[in-house]
Amino acid sequence: MNEERSKAWKMMTSLIPFVLEYKWRATLAVLMLLAAKGATVAVPLVLKQIVDALDKANGPVLAAPIGLVLAYGALRAASSLFRELQTFIFARVRLGIMRSVSVRLLRHLHALSLRFHLDRKTGSITRDIDRGTSSISTMLNYLLFNIVPTILEVVMVSSILLAQYNWRYTLVIAVTFGFYVVFTLWVTSWRMKYRKVSNELDSKASSFAIDSLLNFETVKYFGNEKFEIDRYDAALKDYEDASIKSQGSLSFLNEGQSIAISIGVTVIMVLAAQDVAEGKMSIGDLVAVNAFLLQLFMPLGFLGTVYTILKNAFTDMERMFALLGQVPEIQDKDEAVHLKQRTGHVRFENVVFGYDKEREILHGVSFEILPGQKVAIVGPSGSGKSTVARLLFRFYDVWDGRVELDGVDVRDQAQLSVRDAIGIVPQDTVLFNETILYNISYGRLDASRDEIETAARLAHLESFIEGLPNGWDTMVGERGLKLSGGEKQRVAIARAILKNPSVLVFDEATSSLDSASEQAILGAMREVAKRHTSLTIAHRLSTIVDSDIILVMREGEIVERGSHRELLDAKGAYWQLWTLQQAEDEKGEIVQVG
C-alpha cells in the first residue's frame, strides 16, 4: 500500500511542471471553484430564512421576503455559472498538459535505442499511451474538481452545523465520512488487482490485432486468418473474464458506500425531527439541515466512484510512466560536439561488439574509408555486415575499440550530428503512409520542389511518377505496400540523394530490382557516389566490382581486403563467392551470398 501511494505521489508530482506552465489559468479556475462552492453552501442558509419567514407569515405566500427569494435564485445561478466557468477555463490547462505529455512521450520513444524498438510490440505501446494520456485528463479533472471540492464542502458544512446546531450532527457526519473513506480505500485497493490484470489483457489483445494487420500479407500467404482471429478472441475472452471480476468488486464497493450514506442521513434526520418536535429547531432549520445533507452526501456518494476512477487512472498512468522511465541506451555526452565541416572520413579501429553479452558479433574489426572512396562489404549472413552500418549510425555503442567519423569518435559527437552526415538506402525500405512527394522530401524537409524532382530523376523514378494517375500525390499505403519492392527501393535512393550526406550507405540497395532497373540504378548510384564517401553492403557481387576496396567478412572478422581484381587473383574467400555466383548466373539463377 505504501509503495502504491509512493508511486501515485511520484506520478502526481511529475505533472507539477506541466501545470505550472498554465499557473495563472489554473489559479483562476480554482478561484471559480471556490466561488461555486461558496454559493452552493449558502443556498441552504437562504432557504432556511425563506421557510421560517413563510412559517411565521399570516398573509398570502407572496408576503415572503422577495429579497430572500431573489437571493436564493441568484445563488443557485451563480453556483452553476462559476462551475461552468471553472470547467471552461481549466479545459485549456487539461488539454495543454495532455498535449505536452504526449509530445514528451513521443520524443522520449524516439530517443530510446534501436534495441528497445526491435523488442517492442506496437499495439501494446499505442494502447498504453492512449490510456495513459487520457488518464492524465481524468486525474486532473476528478482530483481538482471533485475530491478537493468535496472535502472542502464537508469542512464548510460541518463547521456551519457545529456553529449553529447541536454537535451531534457534526459527529454523525464525521463518523459517516470516516467510515466511508476507510471502506472505500480498503475495497478499492483490494479490487485494483483485477483492474491491472484487465489492462494487461487489453493491451495484449490490442497487440495481437495490430500485429496481425501489420503483417497482413504474411497472414494471407500462410492462410492463418483463423489462427489470428482465434488468438485475438482468446485474449479478449481473458480480458472479458477479468473485467467481469472488476465490475463485480465495483458493485460491492458501491453498495457498501450507499449503505453507509443511508445510515448517516437517517440518523441525522431522526435527530433533526426530534429537535423540531422539542422546539429546539424551526421548520426552516430542518429544511436547511436536509439541504445540507443532500449537498454533502450526493457528492460524497460520487466520491467513491471518483476514487475508483482515480485509482484506475493511476494504474493506466503507471504503464505510461514506465515507458518514460526507460533509459535510452545511447545518450549524448554533455560535451558532445556538432561537426560543421564534413569530409566523409570513416575509420573502424579494433571494434568489438555484440548485441548481448553472451554472443560477440564483431571481433576486432578495423578498416578505413578515405573521403570520396567507395568501399564494399561482402560475406555470408551472420558475418556482421549490417552490424557495421548500425555501429556507424551509432544505433549501438561498441564494447571495445573506436568508430570514427571525420576523425572524431562517434561517441563524442551528438547523435543528430552523426546521422545528419550519413544517408542510407536500406535493404527493407519502409515508407510512410503518405504521398510519394512526402516520402522523397523526408530526406531533407526544407528541400525545394526542383531539388526533389532532381533526386527522383537520378533515382529513375520520374517516368514512373508521371505515369501514375495522381502523380506526385499518389499515396504509397501502409509501409509502402502499394509500391513494388523495386519502386520502394528507388524512393529510398531518391530520399538519400536528396539528403546529400557526406557518407552514403547502400545496404543491398538493388536487391529488389530487375536486371534493367538494377543497371540504371547502379549508374545513378555511381554518379552520386563520385561526390560522396560510400559504403556498400552487398550480396550480389556484380554490383560492387568497381569499388576501391572490398572487405570480405566471415564470422565477425575481415578475412580479406582489396580491389575486385586483387581479390580474384588471390583466389581466396572472395574468389570462391564470385565463382559460385558466376556459375549460378549462367544457369539463369541469381545467388545471393548471405
Side-chain angles (χ1 to χ4, degrees):
M1 177 65 91
N2 290 333
E3 184 180 352
E4 287 185 7
R5 282 200 294 265
S6 177
K7 286 182 180 179
W9 179 252
K10 186 176 180 180
M11 285 188 284
M12 284 192 294
T13 53
S14 66
L15 294 175
I16 291 176
F18 298 102
V19 177
L20 291 178
E21 293 180 22
Y22 303 91
K23 55 181 176 295
W24 298 117
R25 185 177 284 269
T27 301
L28 184 58
V30 171
L31 291 176
M32 292 298 103
L33 169 66
L34 293 174
K37 283 302 171 188
T40 300
V41 171
V43 166
L45 297 176
V46 175
L47 185 61
K48 163 188 159 39
Q49 299 295 326
I50 294 173
V51 172
D52 284 343
L54 291 173
D55 185 46
K56 295 175 183 177
N58 295 321
V61 174
L62 291 177
I66 193 65
L68 290 174
V69 175
L70 293 176
Y72 176 82
L75 285 171
R76 294 190 66 86
S79 176
S80 176
L81 175 63
F82 288 134
R83 276 199 305 271
E84 294 303 322
L85 284 173
Q86 162 249 301
T87 301
F88 173 74
I89 293 169
F90 196 72
R92 175 71 67 180
V93 180
R94 176 173 55 84
L95 296 173
I97 292 173
M98 286 180 63
R99 174 173 57 84
S100 298
V101 172
S102 298
V103 169
R104 176 183 169 186
L105 186 57
L106 184 61
R107 183 184 298 116
H108 181 73
L109 289 173
H110 277 294
L112 291 176
S113 66
L114 179 62
R115 191 191 309 274
F116 171 84
H117 288 281
L118 291 176
D119 293 339
R120 68 177 167 84
K121 286 182 175 288
T122 304
S124 179
I125 284 184
T126 54
R127 196 70 167 176
D128 291 341
I129 292 173
D130 289 343
R131 280 203 308 260
T133 51
S134 296
S135 67
I136 291 174
S137 173
T138 301
M139 190 270 290
L140 290 173
N141 256 349
Y142 284 106
L143 184 63
L144 293 178
F145 302 120
N146 286 95
I147 290 186
V148 171
T150 299
I151 294 174
L152 179 63
E153 194 165 359
V154 168
V155 172
M156 294 170 69
V157 170
S158 298
S159 299
I160 292 172
L161 291 177
L162 187 61
Q164 295 194 10
Y165 303 102
N166 194 296
W167 59 269
R168 293 178 299 174
Y169 298 105
T170 303
L171 178 62
V172 173
I173 289 177
V175 171
T176 303
F177 185 75
F179 174 81
Y180 184 96
V181 170
V182 171
F183 176 77
T184 299
L185 292 174
W186 173 67
V187 176
T188 304
S189 298
W190 162 67
R191 66 178 299 270
M192 272 304 101
K193 60 183 179 182
Y194 298 121
R195 177 69 179 185
K196 286 185 177 181
V197 171
S198 176
N199 278 352
E200 290 171 359
L201 294 172
D202 184 28
S203 295
K204 182 179 179 181
S206 176
S207 176
F208 285 166
I210 292 178
D211 283 352
S212 69
L213 292 175
L214 287 176
N215 294 283
F216 174 81
E217 285 185 287
T218 304
V219 174
K220 289 293 183 184
Y221 289 151
F222 295 95
N224 282 337
E225 294 92 341
K226 184 178 184 302
F227 168 77
E228 292 296 336
I229 292 170
D230 288 347
R231 186 168 72 143
Y232 180 57
D233 182 56
L236 285 180
K237 179 65 170 60
D238 291 339
Y239 167 69
E240 179 183 328
D241 293 340
S243 297
I244 289 173
K245 292 179 181 178
S246 178
Q247 183 60 51
S249 62
L250 177 61
S251 298
F252 172 71
L253 173 64
N254 291 339
E255 183 58 28
Q257 292 167 339
S258 177
I259 291 173
I261 291 175
S262 299
I263 292 174
V265 170
T266 302
V267 171
I268 287 181
M269 290 310 297
V270 168
L271 292 174
Q274 191 176 38
D275 284 344
V276 171
E278 296 175 358
K280 297 177 182 179
M281 287 174 52
S282 66
I283 298 297
D285 289 321
L286 178 64
V287 172
V289 169
N290 185 62
F292 276 131
L293 291 178
L294 290 176
Q295 284 187 354
L296 187 63
F297 285 124
M298 283 181 64
L300 187 60
F302 187 55
L303 187 61
T305 304
V306 170
Y307 179 72
T308 303
I309 291 172
L310 280 178
K311 288 285 286 185
N312 292 342
F314 284 129
T315 302
D316 294 342
M317 287 170 62
E318 188 175 349
R319 294 175 71 92
M320 183 188 71
F321 276 97
L323 287 175
L324 284 172
Q326 290 277 344
V327 179
E329 180 182 347
I330 307 301
Q331 299 187 48
D332 289 340
K333 296 179 179 179
D334 292 337
E335 64 277 9
V337 298
H338 294 261
L339 296 185
K340 300 295 183 183
Q341 298 297 322
R342 292 290 189 178
T343 63
H345 186 185
V346 176
R347 184 166 175 264
F348 276 57
E349 180 183 343
N350 295 320
V351 170
V352 177
F353 173 75
Y355 294 106
D356 56 69
K357 293 298 181 182
E358 287 72 31
R359 182 172 175 238
E360 188 174 289
I361 301 296
L362 300 182
H363 318 292
V365 170
S366 297
F367 65 87
E368 186 173 15
I369 310 176
L370 299 177
Q373 267 191 328
K374 295 166 58 180
V375 172
I377 301 179
V378 300
S381 293
S383 60
K385 303 186 301 297
S386 295
T387 300
V388 168
R390 286 176 171 177
L391 292 177
L392 180 59
F393 266 91
R394 208 192 165 202
F395 285 150
Y396 302 91
D397 278 339
V398 300
W399 291 359
D400 196 11
R402 293 165 60 88
V403 177
E404 292 182 358
L405 184 58
D406 295 313
V408 180
D409 194 318
V410 293
R411 290 171 294 188
D412 296 327
Q413 301 182 41
Q415 294 176 68
L416 187 59
S417 176
V418 171
R419 291 162 195 167
D420 277 345
I422 306 171
I424 188 167
V425 180
Q427 181 177 1
D428 182 19
T429 297
V430 177
L431 303 179
F432 292 95
N433 189 10
E434 282 283 354
T435 64
I436 289 180
L437 176 64
Y438 177 92
N439 277 283
I440 295 178
S441 65
Y442 202 80
R444 183 155 53 87
L445 298 177
D446 60 351
S448 67
R449 181 63 178 257
D450 286 342
E451 291 174 314
I452 296 171
E453 291 180 357
T454 299
R457 186 165 57 253
L458 287 172
H460 293 261
L461 263 178
E462 198 171 43
S463 59
F464 164 70
I465 294 173
E466 290 174 352
L468 295 171
N470 294 322
W472 288 89
D473 295 324
T474 300
M475 300 292 291
V476 303
E478 191 80 38
R479 301 171 63 87
L481 289 177
K482 291 184 179 180
L483 302 183
S484 70
E487 290 160 356
K488 286 198 297 183
Q489 263 334 39
R490 282 184 281 174
V491 170
I493 291 169
R495 190 164 58 186
I497 292 171
L498 183 65
K499 185 178 181 181
N500 194 29
S502 60
V503 179
L504 275 172
V505 178
F506 299 102
D507 187 358
E508 200 52 32
T510 62
S511 62
S512 300
L513 304 180
D514 55 64
S515 297
S517 297
E518 179 186 57
Q519 292 305 313
I521 295 299
L522 284 174
M525 286 168 55
R526 292 188 183 104
E527 185 64 30
V528 173
K530 289 178 181 178
R531 304 187 300 275
H532 303 83
T533 301
S534 66
L535 175 63
T536 303
I537 297 168
H539 292 159
R540 206 175 300 173
L541 302 184
S542 60
T543 64
I544 48 92
V545 294
D546 62 337
S547 299
D548 297 315
I549 300 174
I550 298 173
L551 307 175
V552 184
M553 294 192 69
R554 180 183 294 161
E555 296 182 354
E557 297 180 327
I558 297 176
V559 295
E560 286 184 335
R561 68 182 73 204
S563 67
H564 172 69
R565 176 48 52 193
E566 290 171 344
L567 293 174
L568 287 182
D569 291 342
K571 293 193 175 182
Y574 181 82
W575 176 81
Q576 292 176 352
L577 297 176
W578 176 264
T579 303
L580 177 61
Q581 283 199 2
Q582 291 297 106
E584 295 296 339
D585 284 347
E586 291 176 3
K587 297 178 183 178
E589 300 177 10
I590 297 176
V591 172
Q592 293 186 351
V593 184

